[in-house]
Structure formats: structure tokens, C-alpha cells
């Protein structure tokens, strides 16, 4: 994976047809998705249960590009190797998921994956100052994790701006996850984000049989984000 700060759209399969995940991954990539975002939830760290390593392994042959795996689980360290073996390119864990976050990030990289670190809406960025050399991506949650389709939390824009200033020239992606659509995309892009996770905003109106709306939605989100960058 070559680093660049261009806008990347990462559809979350949490909003896809659960009976056709492989075909859905192929459909969104065919319609212009840059990454495919896999939300892993354990019913403990967050109030929902979704996928495990076996699902990621099953999806991997259907994803040509980047598999972006977001682990909303605790404890997390014991499962890193399983998700890496399943084919994850990026493994993002939560700052709040355990007491030894530096060890967790080291384990992700040792497993051969890019290391992401996610922050819940109530978590500040102060601790990141000691971790920036160990992360490849920071994911700012703009909803409380656990469910798709939630409303964007506006207060997180200031966090994204502060994070962008803290990162400086380091090759670290800023990902935003939650409530991203063509309306909020310009806000997060202007604040400094380059990876936009979108679920219902991408998958609405389409299907495996008719994926054309996926492309329309992806292009709308991308154009809105890129337009905001140009305007600044």
C-alpha cells in the first residue's frame, strides 16, 4: 500500500446485504470503492455482534484492494493474528480496548498489517502524541460505535482538525467512521480526513443485481469531499 492523502471511500459492509457479502464487496469495488471496511463487533466492547476472522477469510477472495478491518472488541490482542491470517491489510483497534495499546500496535505490525488506532467520541487525542510512530492510521469515530445509520457528531470535527495538526507530515491516514454522507463528507475532508467510511450512504438504493446506485453514491461523496479540499 503506497501512502497518499487523496480522498478514499471505504464502504462499510455492515450496511450491505448479509446474504451476499462476497458479491457486495465485488460490486462496491466495481463501482469505485477504494477500500472495503469490515466492522468487527463482539457484543461486549460495543452493543452489537457482527463478524469474526472466518468471515474475513471468506471475504478476502472477493476484495481486490484494501481490506480495512476495524476491531471493536475487547480484549483484542489474542485475535490479531487470526484477522491478519484471514487477510486483513489494515487492523484498527481501539485506544479504549485495553491498557497496553503500544503492545497492541506492535502486535498488529508484527502480524504484517498496517496498524490503525480508533478513538471513541469521548476520547481525546492527548495519548496519541506518544504513539504516532507506531500507527499508520487514526480512525476518529463520529458516532458511538456499535450500530450503523447513526447521526454524525459535529463536535468531532475539532478533534479531526487537532489530529491533523498533530500528525503533520507523518504518513498517517485520518479515517472518519460514522454518519458520513455527501453532506458531512466536505466537513471531515476540510478538517483533514482522507479516508471516509460510509455504510448506508453508499449502499442505499442499490443491490448486487443493480449496483449502479453504489457508484452514484460513491462519486457524490468523493466529489463533495474533494470539492471541499479545493475550496480551501
Amino acid at each position: 500500500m503506497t501512502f497518499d492523502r487523496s480522498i478514499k471511500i471505504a464502504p462499510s459492509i455492515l450496511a450491505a446485504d448479509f446474504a451476499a457479502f462476497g458479491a457486495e464487496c465485488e460490486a462496491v469495488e466495481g463501482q469505485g470503492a477504494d477500500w472495503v471496511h469490515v466492522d468487527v463487533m463482539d457484543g461486549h466492547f460495543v452493543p452489537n455482534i457482527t463478524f469474526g476472522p472466518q468471515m474475513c477469510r471468506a471475504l478476502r477472495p472477493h476484495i481486490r484492494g484494501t481490506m480495512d478491518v476495524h476491531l471493536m472488541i475487547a480484549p483484542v490482542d489474542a485475535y490479531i493474528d487470526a484477522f491478519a491470517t484471514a487477510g486483513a491489510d489494515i487492523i484498527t483497534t481501539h485506544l479504549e480496548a485495553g491498557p497496553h495499546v503500544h503492545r497492541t500496535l506492535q502486535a498488529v505490525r508484527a502480524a504484517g498489517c498496517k496498524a490503525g488506532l480508533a478513538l471513541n467520541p469521548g476520547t481525546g487525542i492527548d495519548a496519541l502524541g506518544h504513539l504516532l510512530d507506531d500507527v499508520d492510521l487514526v480512525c476518529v469515530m463520529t458516532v458511538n460505535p456499535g450500530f450503523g445509520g447513526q447521526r454524525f457528531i459535529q463536535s468531532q470535527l475539532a478533534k479531526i482538525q487537532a489530529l491533523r495538526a498533530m500528525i503533520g507530515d507523518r504518513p498517517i491516514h485520518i479515517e472518519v467512521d460514522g454518519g458520513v454522507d455527501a453532506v458531512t463528507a466536505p466537513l471531515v475532508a476540510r478538517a483533514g480526513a482522507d479516508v471516509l467510511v460510509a455504510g448506508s450512504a453508499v449502499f442505499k438504493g442499490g443491490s448486487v443485481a443493480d449496483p449502479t446506485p453504489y457508484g452514484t453514491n460513491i462519486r457524490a461523496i468523493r466529489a463533495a469531499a474533494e470539492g471541499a479540499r479545493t475550496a480551501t
Side-chain angles (χ1 to χ4, degrees):
M1 295 170 57
T2 303
F3 179 84
D4 68 80
R5 297 194 190 280
S6 64
I7 294 294
K8 287 161 281 295
I9 309 300
S12 168
I13 63 167
L14 191 63
D17 179 355
F18 277 35
F21 273 143
E24 288 278 47
C25 291
E26 293 175 3
V28 290
E29 282 196 321
Q31 291 294 321
D34 301 290
W35 296 1
V36 174
H37 189 82
V38 184
D39 287 306
V40 177
M41 305 181 189
D42 64 358
H44 171 70
F45 182 69
V46 293
N48 197 5
I49 298 173
T50 56
F51 324 115
Q54 289 182 323
M55 175 63 78
C56 290
R57 186 179 297 109
L59 292 177
R60 182 70 262 188
H62 301 276
I63 299 173
R64 297 190 308 273
T66 297
M67 179 189 280
D68 177 29
V69 177
H70 179 189
L71 300 184
M72 287 167 272
I73 65 176
V76 65
D77 289 12
Y79 300 96
I80 289 170
D81 284 343
F83 282 100
T85 301
D89 295 297
I90 302 167
I91 294 178
T92 296
T93 61
H94 270 257
L95 179 66
E96 309 87 359
H100 305 296
V101 62
H102 183 267
R103 178 184 296 161
T104 301
L105 294 170
Q106 286 183 313
V108 172
R109 284 186 167 177
C113 298
K114 298 291 186 181
L117 190 62
L119 306 176
N120 285 338
T123 301
I125 66 171
D126 291 349
L128 291 178
H130 302 288
L131 298 169
L132 289 179
D133 291 335
D134 301 289
V135 298
D136 302 290
L137 176 150
V138 178
C139 176
V140 177
M141 296 300 301
T142 43
V143 298
N144 287 295
F147 297 96
Q150 298 183 69
R151 180 175 293 182
F152 182 88
I153 300 174
Q154 294 279 337
S155 64
Q156 300 308 293
L157 292 171
K159 182 189 294 185
I160 298 168
Q161 289 177 317
L163 177 61
R164 183 68 192 87
M166 176 185 283
I167 286 172
D169 293 332
R170 295 177 178 87
I172 299 172
H173 294 293
I174 298 179
E175 181 175 75
V176 174
D177 186 354
V180 174
D181 56 22
V183 174
T184 56
L187 305 179
V188 299
R190 192 176 298 118
D194 61 283
V195 182
L196 279 56
V197 177
S200 54
V202 166
F203 286 98
K204 66 182 180 182
S207 66
V208 169
D210 179 21
T212 304
Y214 298 167
T216 300
N217 297 335
I218 288 169
R219 287 190 295 274
I221 296 169
R222 192 189 307 279
E226 290 178 344
R229 280 187 167 186
T230 302
T232 58

